[in-house]
Each structure stands twice: as C-alpha cells, then as structure tokens.
Amino acid sequence: MSNTNSEWVSNTRRQTKQLAYWTLAWVISVAIASFGPKLLWNFNNTASLISIMLCLLLGAGMIRQNMRYINNLDELQRQINLESLSIALGVGIVGGLCYSLLDISNVIASDAEISYLVILMGVTYLVALVAGQMRYK
Amino acid sequence: MKNRIKVLRAENNMTQADLANSLQVSRQTINAIERGKFDPSLPLAFRMSRLFKLPIEEIFQDI
C-alpha cells in the first residue's frame, strides 16, 4: 500500500512539473506571437501564422495536461480546484461582459483589452484556490 | 456527517500521514474528513472500511 501511495505522490509531482513546463512553453509562445511580428520578422504573415499555430498547439497541450493534473488530484483537492475554476469562469464571463459593455457604451475612453480579462480570471482563480485551501485546512 | 476516523486511527496507532498514505489521498483530506469539513466519496469510504475492517456505518454516522 505504501509503495502504491509513493507512486501516487511521485505521479502527482510529475504531473505538476509537466503542467508547469507546458504552461511555460505556452507563455513563451504567446510572447513570441505577440512581439515577434514587430521585433523579429517585420510583420511577415507566414511567420506570424506559424507562431500563432505553435501557440495554439502548445495551448492545447497545456489544456490536456491540466486535465490530467486535475484528474490525478485526490477528491478534496479536485473539489477545491473545481470550485476555484467555476468562480474564475463566472467572474471572467460576468466581468468580461461588463467590461465590454463599458467599452461599447463609451463609458471608458480606452478599448477593452482581452489581457485584462485574462489577468482578472488568473488572479480570481489563484485567490479562490488559496481561500479553498484555507477553508479545508 | 460525523465519523470515528480519529478514534480508529488512534486505536491503530496511525498518524494522519500514515492513513493518507494507506488511502492514497493527501493528509489535508484526512484532516478535513476528521474535522467534518469534507465528506468522502463512496469509493474512499469503502477503502476506509476495508482498511479498518469495519462496516461503513460503524465509521460514519449520518446526523
């Protein structure tokens, strides 16, 4: 039984590391796709398309790895993650739509940027995750 | 839902970490179950039942 558990623990660590690697690779690909056209390939459409395709593929890999990671968690950790993800999704949809409405109705001077929405969802997920861990501590 | 896991664990000279190891869950999960903050799934309850060699209703009581 102990061997099985140490396998489970090492598998969890491996899944966490792999998720970190996939996330890092995806973030780097997003940075390349964002800054590459101006700084690296002078707005060459083919290069831009390739970098965006790479970003898409690495993103798909990251999503798949995130699913594996969550499936490998124990039931309490999975519940905490599920609650955090649902809060982040809800805040993202409600907050994102309100932000878009502010832009459409010209209440805010600048255009609505999707990066703010990504930051909002990321921060919400992290805060909800920490709150969940504290609640079941 | 109330449970006797803390008592059973003590009777078997097990720490929370030992029990977590045996059940393939985190120590945090055992702690949350013992304190009644989290109800385990049926498969986990069955694993506990097998480990302590007791029927589920002798480990968990619905209140």
Side-chain angles (χ1 to χ4, degrees):
Chain A
M1 195 63 107
S2 179
N3 274 347
T4 318
N5 188 66
S6 62
E7 269 174 36
W8 178 72
V9 170
S10 64
N11 193 32
T12 304
R13 283 192 188 134
R14 193 172 61 246
Q15 298 286 352
T16 308
K17 274 184 190 171
Q18 283 181 4
L19 179 59
Y21 295 146
W22 274 106
T23 306
L24 184 66
W26 175 73
V27 167
I28 290 170
S29 75
V30 171
I32 291 170
S34 301
F35 301 112
K38 191 177 178 185
L39 302 175
L40 297 173
W41 53 78
N42 196 26
F43 296 97
N44 179 296
N45 274 350
T46 309
S48 292
L49 200 61
I50 290 168
S51 71
I52 291 167
M53 287 302 288
L54 181 70
C55 183
L56 197 65
L57 286 173
L58 288 171
M62 181 185 69
I63 292 168
R64 191 160 159 257
Q65 181 55 36
N66 196 31
M67 285 169 68
R68 279 186 185 164
Y69 167 77
I70 287 175
N71 283 330
N72 187 65
L73 294 174
D74 78 15
E75 51 195 73
L76 174 61
Q77 294 166 334
R78 212 177 296 143
Q79 180 172 316
I80 292 169
N81 260 277
L82 184 66
E83 287 171 0
S84 306
L85 286 167
S86 65
I87 291 168
L89 179 66
V91 168
I93 290 173
V94 173
L97 280 173
C98 287
Y99 183 44
S100 173
L101 288 171
L102 287 172
D103 179 25
I104 291 166
S105 54
N106 284 328
V107 176
I108 52 171
S110 59
D111 288 337
E113 297 286 342
I114 197 162
S115 54
Y116 292 133
L117 185 61
V118 174
I119 292 168
L120 174 70
M121 288 179 78
V123 170
T124 306
Y125 173 66
L126 279 176
V127 170
L129 202 61
V130 171
Q133 298 281 358
M134 300 284 282
R135 193 166 71 240
Y136 293 108
K137 207 171 180 182
Chain B
M1 193 161 62
K2 283 178 76 174
N3 65 72
R4 294 178 53 224
I5 293 167
K6 194 172 181 178
V7 175
L8 294 169
R9 189 168 56 75
E11 283 174 3
N12 287 276
N13 281 328
M14 292 176 98
T15 62
Q16 285 187 342
D18 293 334
L19 184 58
N21 279 346
S22 302
L23 296 169
Q24 298 182 56
V25 294
S26 62
R27 198 191 61 77
Q28 181 193 18
T29 299
I30 298 298
N31 187 47
I33 294 170
E34 278 188 5
R35 297 175 68 168
K37 288 184 173 181
F38 176 70
D39 291 332
S41 66
L42 204 50
L44 182 55
F46 272 111
R47 292 212 295 275
M48 287 179 176
S49 166
R50 276 197 295 274
L51 184 75
F52 292 125
K53 296 184 176 65
L54 287 171
I56 287 179
E57 57 268 30
E58 284 190 29
I59 303 175
F60 298 97
Q61 292 86 40
D62 195 14
I63 50 165

